[in-house]
Amino acid sequence: MTATGRQQEPSPGWTRRPASLASAVTAELVQRIVRGTYPAGDTLPPEPVLCQTFSVSRTVIREAVKVLQEKGLVQVRQGSGTMVNPQVRWNMLDELVLAATIAEDESLSILDDLVVTRRLLESDMAQVAARTADRDTVDRLRALVDRMDELVGDVPAYEEHDRLFHDTIMQASGNRIARGVVRSLEAQAITTAGYLGKSSRDLCKASNAGHRRILERIAAKDAAGAADAMFTHITDAWLVRRGEAGDPGRLKR
């Protein structure tokens, strides 16, 4: 029985029994909570039902629920069952939670949030890099931009160098926390069609023009200019990739 008085039907279990049961049950429950199969304010099915659904022991279910608590998805209430938390309490930097949220978000709003976060952090790191980057770093960035001019017809190779360009700037900033957050966010989004969008030779050429502007500002030790160039580059690149979906107003300063 749910918190709203509705009777919950057992959900279908495994199509193929996984090797790591607790991890697999956790991942499946994360997806079902994010998808709304178990809405905020409702309780998860009781242990016996979950055991039957996934053909696992109570120990496995309890371990999975403990992990869900750590991710902020549920709260265990003695005598009341396991309550699903509202989204504001979820740990959105958690790998499973973010990946599931991205997968379920047709409006691209979570990717808008990701891009805004990345843009703020990378703009700040570009500003610092413009003040601190040595000649070797500038030469490395220039070599990457020049190489990307040659790779505009090879999208996968271009994108690999694109990520290396951004990571070189992040490393030059010395901000390990900000770099870690950006890399973690990108790792969850990088394989999704909504984040990647469509690319082409012309789009790669336009993207690399943005890279070159960032490079020029860093080479000139223009901290404010580097930050602004990075801000504009990330915004423009995302607007092209996202097309007409979502709300462009979310990307305004």
Side-chain angles (χ1 to χ4, degrees):
M1 189 75 68
T2 70
T4 56
R6 300 194 305 273
Q7 183 70 39
Q8 284 181 325
E9 297 294 331
S11 300
W14 309 116
T15 55
R16 181 177 179 180
R17 191 176 174 86
S20 178
L21 292 175
S23 296
V25 170
T26 300
E28 180 63 26
L29 289 175
V30 167
Q31 290 180 7
R32 294 185 187 189
I33 290 171
V34 170
R35 190 181 303 134
T37 304
Y38 306 133
D42 280 7
T43 56
L44 291 184
E47 278 187 2
V49 174
L50 291 175
C51 289
Q52 181 180 13
T53 298
F54 297 110
S55 301
V56 296
S57 67
R58 286 180 179 245
T59 300
V60 171
I61 295 300
R62 288 170 184 169
E63 183 177 345
V65 169
K66 181 180 178 181
V67 176
L68 293 179
Q69 278 188 283
E70 294 169 352
K71 297 178 186 298
L73 294 174
V74 302
Q75 180 179 1
V76 177
R77 297 179 176 178
Q78 296 300 324
S80 302
T82 301
M83 189 77 66
V84 178
N85 285 331
Q87 192 177 65
V88 293
R89 297 183 61 183
W90 299 356
N91 177 9
M92 295 306 299
L93 291 181
D94 178 83
E95 179 179 344
L96 288 178
V97 177
L98 181 58
T101 304
I102 290 173
E104 294 297 321
D105 181 27
E106 295 182 358
S107 73
L108 303 187
S109 64
I110 190 65
L111 290 177
D112 283 341
D113 290 344
L114 185 154
V115 170
V116 167
T117 302
R118 177 192 165 200
R119 183 180 64 187
L120 290 171
L121 292 173
E122 286 204 50
S123 295
D124 184 74
M125 286 187 279
Q127 182 179 34
V128 176
R131 295 197 302 264
T132 62
D134 58 20
R135 175 52 55 188
D136 286 345
T137 298
V138 172
D139 289 345
R140 190 156 58 248
L141 290 171
R142 193 179 307 280
L144 285 167
V145 172
D146 289 344
R147 179 59 177 150
M148 280 188 280
D149 275 340
E150 300 171 353
L151 292 172
V152 291
D154 184 347
V155 172
Y158 176 89
E159 290 176 343
E160 181 181 348
H161 284 70
D162 186 339
R163 289 189 289 273
L164 185 55
F165 174 84
H166 285 269
D167 194 53
T168 300
I169 293 172
M170 290 191 289
Q171 289 187 64
S173 77
N175 191 330
R176 293 169 293 175
I177 299 297
R179 177 175 178 254
V181 170
V182 170
R183 285 169 61 87
S184 177
L185 292 173
E186 284 256 290
Q188 298 312 310
I190 201 69
T191 59
T192 64
Y195 185 72
L196 290 175
K198 296 181 179 180
S199 193
S200 66
R201 182 185 186 91
D202 287 343
L203 292 178
C204 288
K205 289 176 69 175
S207 169
N208 208 36
H211 293 147
R212 193 168 290 281
R213 283 190 290 272
I214 297 167
L215 162 65
E216 290 170 351
R217 293 303 88 211
I218 291 176
K221 299 291 185 181
D222 178 3
D228 188 65
M230 181 67 78
F231 189 101
T232 300
H233 167 66
I234 291 177
T235 302
D236 290 349
W238 173 235
L239 286 173
V240 168
R241 294 201 306 273
R242 77 202 287 278
E244 299 299 322
D247 176 12
R250 295 172 64 89
L251 296 175
K252 293 180 180 178
R253 287 182 186 265

